Amino acid sequence: MTTTQQVKSPSVSSKSKSKFGVLALIFLSVVINYMDRTNISVAAQAISDDLELSKVQMGIIFSAFAWTYSIMQIPGGMLVDSVRIRLLYPFILVAWSAATIVQGLLSSFSAVVGCRMAIGFFEAPSYPANNKIVTQWFAEQERAGAIAVYTSGQFIGLAFLMPVLAIIQQWFGWRGLFFISGGIGIIWAGVWYLLYRDPVTQDETPAANGNKPDVNAQLSRHSAPSNDEQNTTPIASHAQATANWNNLKIAFSNRKLWGIYIGQFCLGGTLIFFLTWFPTYLAEYRGLSELNTGFVASIPFLAAFCGVLLSGFVSDWLVRKGVSNEVARKTPIILGLLLSSSVIFANYVESTQWVTFFLSVTFFGNGLASINWVFVSLIAPKHMVGLVGGCFNFIGGLSAVTVPIAIGYLAKDGDFKPALVLVACLALIGLCSYIFLVGKVEQIQMPDIDENGAVLPDTHDANTSSTSTSTGGA
């Protein structure tokens, strides 16, 4: 018994350290992910001039990424539930990075649109995968903080990258910008494969350690994932249930799920403005130079970074103190969406300082609300985390399909005021969705179903419910 305890304790300590290394990997992957999504916005004016494109055409280019990204969210979520993350993530990294490089070789509107669609196609499984990794590695009371950390990568990364990308473009042109961005992603894919390990890997054998089964059980209890979240030797009925069309029906018929879907769409409306049209807004409508645009554009991203970290860690702290999920999880999102609606005040000021202030408050609010991914694991049925994550990101991705094109039409005469009104309205709709549709934060219960649609006996421990806050105050 003493020997077993001596083996278990260091393993659990190692697990605790490893999960923060895993979080660092996700964070840097998100930075690269968003770099390849948004480098087009930095290059937009140069591409528009070089290829002689209109604002409506640029809106279509901005939107093209989301066409395939949205469509592939549900298949991507299913893929995440069935393929080992260690193999899947490097593959999609190489694929979207290669498409980014090819983007720098193109000279026609239709070819650029096609390339943006390819990038969206291969990036689609990334966020369901991120959420799955956090669900596997972190206990429920730690997940909002973990999600906040990796989500902050899209803000802090771009805050520092916006000026850097602007400088790269100034030195190497817009084509060089895509070559360098894509090359970084391919290198990172190799790093990911070398460093990442699933919580319990298939290549571990009992021969390596006589006490391995006991250690794995202890590690499983330490991170408190549900049974279906183990990425090895999955129970057949779980895999079958995930792919079953009955689950898809549940994913699109539940009121709570539609509450978070609509909220994600509206939250994405603000985000996509900053990821696509924001540099053009500063350069053309506010008259800033290309280099100044890069530096001014970084300030709202820093604000969003502060918002998402504040939201995540305060939310987890409240859960550990025994505060209900309705308060601990929903309050930051509701407050964040309310602050995001302040973008409309930028229409009534002239100075760059005040414009920057209101846009920073807007994006701070967007960051504050960006822990909304935590609701996927809190509300989704236990065996549908990947599928619901895919649906969640699919609906959210539709904002990236529609909002850039809508802004292109609204601003085609050079006036961005109607576009900012649109962004403010979306934020208020999202706020109402969380208040009136999501309701009480609790996990949706459903039975296991075999491939024929028959209900299987319930063999799950009720104590694994993600809605329980009993794990929060230790």
Side-chain angles (χ1 to χ4, degrees):
M1 180 64 69
T2 302
T3 304
T4 302
Q5 291 297 327
Q6 288 175 344
V7 173
K8 286 181 180 179
S9 297
S11 299
V12 172
S13 175
S14 175
K15 166 85 173 184
S16 298
K17 294 177 182 178
S18 297
K19 67 183 180 181
F20 294 110
V22 167
L23 191 57
L25 288 176
I26 304 174
F27 175 89
L28 291 172
S29 298
V30 169
V31 171
I32 292 171
N33 183 308
Y34 272 80
M35 175 181 67
D36 290 335
R37 293 191 200 193
T38 59
N39 50 20
I40 191 77
S41 67
V42 175
Q45 195 169 6
I47 293 175
S48 179
D49 293 341
D50 194 11
L51 304 185
E52 299 181 348
L53 303 177
S54 68
K55 279 189 172 57
V56 173
Q57 287 177 308
M58 284 308 303
I60 293 172
I61 287 175
F62 287 149
S63 170
F65 167 90
W67 300 349
T68 48
Y69 185 81
S70 299
I71 291 171
M72 288 303 298
Q73 281 304 304
I74 296 173
M78 292 179 174
L79 190 65
V80 166
D81 281 338
S82 58
V83 178
R84 291 181 63 191
I85 299 296
R86 189 188 177 208
L87 301 177
L88 178 64
Y89 223 119
F91 173 78
I92 61 175
L93 263 165
V94 169
W96 90 58
S97 298
T100 299
I101 292 173
V102 172
Q103 203 171 216
L105 302 172
L106 307 177
S107 297
S108 71
F109 166 72
S110 58
V112 174
V113 168
C115 214
R116 294 296 297 175
M117 291 173 65
I119 295 171
F121 181 91
F122 290 113
E123 282 198 13
S126 59
Y127 258 68
N130 294 340
N131 194 58
K132 186 72 171 182
I133 293 168
V134 167
T135 301
Q136 289 176 323
W137 279 89
F138 289 84
E140 190 276 328
Q141 71 271 20
E142 301 173 318
R143 288 178 194 163
I147 290 170
V149 168
Y150 79 69
T151 302
S152 72
Q154 70 193 47
F155 301 123
I156 191 64
L158 292 178
F160 290 106
L161 282 176
M162 280 291 187
V164 172
L165 293 176
I167 291 171
I168 290 174
Q169 179 175 283
Q170 199 170 50
W171 288 354
F172 301 103
W174 65 268
R175 296 182 187 277
L177 174 62
F178 292 136
F179 296 153
I180 293 172
S181 299
I184 291 171
I186 290 175
I187 293 170
W188 182 248
V191 173
W192 174 277
Y193 182 78
L194 291 174
L195 297 182
Y196 181 77
R197 293 295 184 274
D198 297 308
V200 183
T201 59
Q202 287 178 334
D203 53 10
E204 289 177 339
T205 61
N209 187 330
N211 295 299
K212 200 63 162 184
D214 291 333
V215 172
N216 286 341
Q218 178 73 3
L219 296 185
S220 178
R221 289 195 295 272
H222 178 73
S223 59
S226 56
N227 292 336
D228 65 291
E229 290 161 356
Q230 297 301 326
N231 213 22
T232 62
T233 60
I235 298 173
S237 64
H238 291 182
Q240 292 161 354
T242 299
N244 196 291
W245 287 109
N246 289 334
N247 291 358
L248 194 61
K249 180 180 178 181
I250 291 171
F252 279 109
S253 62
N254 185 274
R255 176 180 59 83
K256 290 181 182 295
L257 294 180
W258 270 107
I260 64 173
Y261 297 162
I262 294 171
Q264 176 72 343
F265 178 92
C266 295
L267 193 68
T270 301
L271 178 63
I272 201 64
F273 166 73
F274 281 93
L275 296 183
T276 57
W277 282 107
F278 182 43
T280 302
Y281 167 79
L282 293 177
E284 293 190 7
Y285 188 65
R286 293 296 176 177
L288 300 183
S289 67
E290 186 177 271
L291 199 55
N292 285 338
T293 292
F295 283 98
V296 171
S298 69
I299 298 173
F301 282 95
L302 286 172
F305 166 73
C306 294
V308 71
L309 287 186
L310 176 66
S311 176
F313 289 112
V314 169
S315 179
D316 275 349
W317 178 79
L318 290 173
V319 169
R320 288 193 294 271
K321 291 296 182 181
V323 177
S324 69
N325 282 324
E326 280 70 33
V327 174
R329 303 309 196 192
K330 288 176 70 174
T331 299
I333 294 176
I334 291 171
L335 178 60
L337 287 164
L338 183 62
L339 290 175
S340 291
S341 67
S342 66
V343 68
I344 197 169
F345 295 119
N347 283 341
Y348 303 102
V349 295
E350 296 296 332
S351 69
T352 300
Q353 291 83 356
W354 277 110
V355 169
T356 304
F357 171 77
F358 284 119
L359 291 171
S360 296
V361 170
T362 297
F363 219 13
F364 173 82
N366 189 267
L368 205 63
S370 291
I371 64 163
N372 60 342
W373 263 102
V374 76
F375 283 91
V376 173
S377 58
L378 287 174
I379 295 177
K382 288 185 293 184
H383 309 304
M384 292 172 55
V385 172
L387 175 60
V388 170
C391 297
F392 176 81
N393 227 21
F394 166 70
I395 301 296
L398 293 180
S399 66
V401 174
T402 57
V403 172
I405 295 176
I407 292 176
Y409 277 99
L410 292 172
K412 64 182 179 181
D413 295 326
D415 184 4
F416 273 85
K417 287 183 178 179
L420 297 192
V421 172
L422 171 65
V423 174
C425 289
L426 286 172
L428 293 175
I429 293 171
L431 184 152
C432 293
S433 177
Y434 271 96
I435 292 175
F436 299 112
L437 292 181
V438 173
K440 185 177 181 181
V441 180
E442 58 185 1
Q443 189 174 61
I444 300 166
Q445 300 298 322
M446 62 171 290
D448 285 337
I449 302 172
D450 66 18
E451 70 273 17
N452 298 316
V455 176
L456 298 173
D458 184 10
T459 58
H460 306 300
D461 184 356
N463 293 326
T464 61
S465 173
S466 295
T467 58
S468 172
T469 58
S470 62
T471 58

